[in-house]
Amino acid sequence: LRSSLRRQEEQLGKNRRELVTNGEASKLTVADVEVLNSKLRALEPKYQFFQELWLYVDSMTDCLDSKMDLIEECEVQLLELEKSEAEAAAAHRWVMLDDLADSLVAPGTKAQTPNALSGNDNGRGDLDEFGRDRSHTTKTMLTAGAAKRAEERRAMIGGLKATDCEFDSDEEGRQADKATDEHERVRKERAEILQAASVIFADASEEFSTVAAVAARMAEWKCKQPRSYHDTYVSINLFKIFAPFARLDMLSWHPSDGCIDGLAQQSWFAALENYGMDGNGTPENGRGSGSRSEPATEIAADDPDLDLIPGLVEKVVLPRLLAWLRNGWDPMSRRSTDVAFQCVSELVEVYVTVEKPAMTALLATVLNRLQSSGDRIRIPLGTAAGASCGTDHVDENSEVSRGAILN
C-alpha cells in the first residue's frame, strides 16, 4: 500500500507540474489568438480592397476588349476617308503643276515643231476612212481641259492681286471644295464616324468608361498597396490599359492641331499628365496643380510611371502621325509640309528620341515621300526656247502661279 501510495503521489506531482505548464501555454496561446485576431482585423480591409480590385480589373479588361474592335473600325474608316480626300487633292495639285509646266514650254514647242502641234506628219495625219483626223476629238478635249485649268489659275492669281495678301492655296482649295458634293460627303461621313465613336462607351459603367476613372483607380492601388502594385508589374501594363482611351480621343485629332498644343487638349493627356502623383504635384516637373494641403509625394527618379505619357505618345500618337504622313501629307503643299515639320520636331524634342525604332521608321517615311515627290516634279527645260521666240508668249504670272500652287 505504501509503495502504491508513493507512486500515486509522484504521479500527482507530475500532473500538477503539467497543469502549470499547460496553464502557461494556454495563456500564451490566448495571447497569440488575440494577436492573430488583431492582424486579421487589420487585413480585412486589405483583403476587401484586393477582392474589389480583382473584380474591377476583370470587368474593365472585358469592357476594353469588347470596345477595342469598335475603336479600330472607326480608325480604319477615318484613315480611308482621309486617304481618299488627300489623294484627290494631290491629284488636282499635280494636274495644276503639269499644266503650269506645259504652259511654260508651250511657246518653245510651237516654235520648234509646228507640224506636230497641227496634227500633220509631212502633210499626212492619222485619218479615218472619211478623211477625218482621228486625234482631233482627243486633242480638243485635252485642250479644253487645259484651258479650263488655266482659267482657274488665272482666277486664283486675280484673287491674289485683288486682295493683295499672301496666297494660301490649301485654304483656297478647301473653300472651293466646300461647294462640291464630294467635300460635303467627306464632311458628313467624318461627322458620322466621330458621332459613332463618341457613344462607344455609352453602355459601359462609369467606373471604367473614362480614362479619368480608370486612372484614379490605378493610382489608388499604387498609393494604398505600392508593393503589390510593383510586384504585379502594373506600370508595364498601363500602356495597354490606357491605349484604347487614347486612340478613341485621337480620332478627332489632326496633325494641323499640333503635337504639344493639340495633345494638351486631349482628355487622356490631361488625365494622365500627373498620374501617380499624390498631394499637389511633384517637384520633379513642377506641373502639379492640386489644391490639397498634404505634402506632395516624392516620386523616385526611376519610377516607370514617369514614362507613361512618352510611352503612350510613342504607341498611339506616332502611329497616327505615321499614317497621316503616308496617306494624308502632300509634300508639294507648303502648309501641309509645315504641319509635318512642326509635328515631327515637337515629338523629337519632347517625347520620342530619334533612336527609337518607331521614330526611325517615321523619319524614313518622310524621306521617302520627299524623294518620290521630287522624282515626279517636271522641270520645264523648254522655256529658254520659248524666250528666244519672244517673251510675250510666256505667262507673266508664271512665278505667281508656281508659288500659288505649291502653297
Side-chain angles (χ1 to χ4, degrees), residues 101-160:
D102 291 339
S103 68
L104 293 175
V105 300
T109 304
K110 288 181 180 180
Q112 295 173 12
T113 58
N115 289 334
L117 293 177
S118 63
N120 296 326
D121 184 8
N122 296 326
R124 299 175 61 187
D126 185 11
L127 307 177
D128 59 13
E129 62 271 20
F130 300 104
R132 295 176 299 189
D133 188 355
R134 296 180 186 273
S135 62
H136 175 73
T137 302
T138 303
K139 290 180 179 179
T140 302
M141 295 174 61
L142 292 175
T143 303
K148 182 178 179 181
R149 290 187 290 272
E151 182 64 28
E152 292 178 356
R153 287 200 308 274
R154 284 192 292 272
M156 292 161 56
I157 297 166
L160 174 62

Side-chain angles (χ1 to χ4, degrees), residues 197-213:
S198 65
V199 297
I200 286 180
F201 282 95
D203 59 343
S205 175
E206 293 183 1
E207 57 183 352
F208 40 74
S209 62
T210 63
V211 64

Side-chain angles (χ1 to χ4, degrees), residues 219 223 274-282 292 294-298:
C223 179
N274 293 325
Y275 173 79
M277 319 293 183
D278 192 16
N280 56 4
T282 169
R292 291 168 51 177
E294 291 87 345
T297 299
E298 286 280 355

Side-chain angles (χ1 to χ4, degrees), residues 221-238:
W221 184 0
K222 180 179 183 180
C223 179
K224 291 184 176 180
Q225 302 296 333
R227 172 180 254 174
S228 67
Y229 182 91
H230 177 268
D231 292 343
T232 51
Y233 301 99
V234 177
S235 298
I236 298 177
N237 294 286
L238 287 178

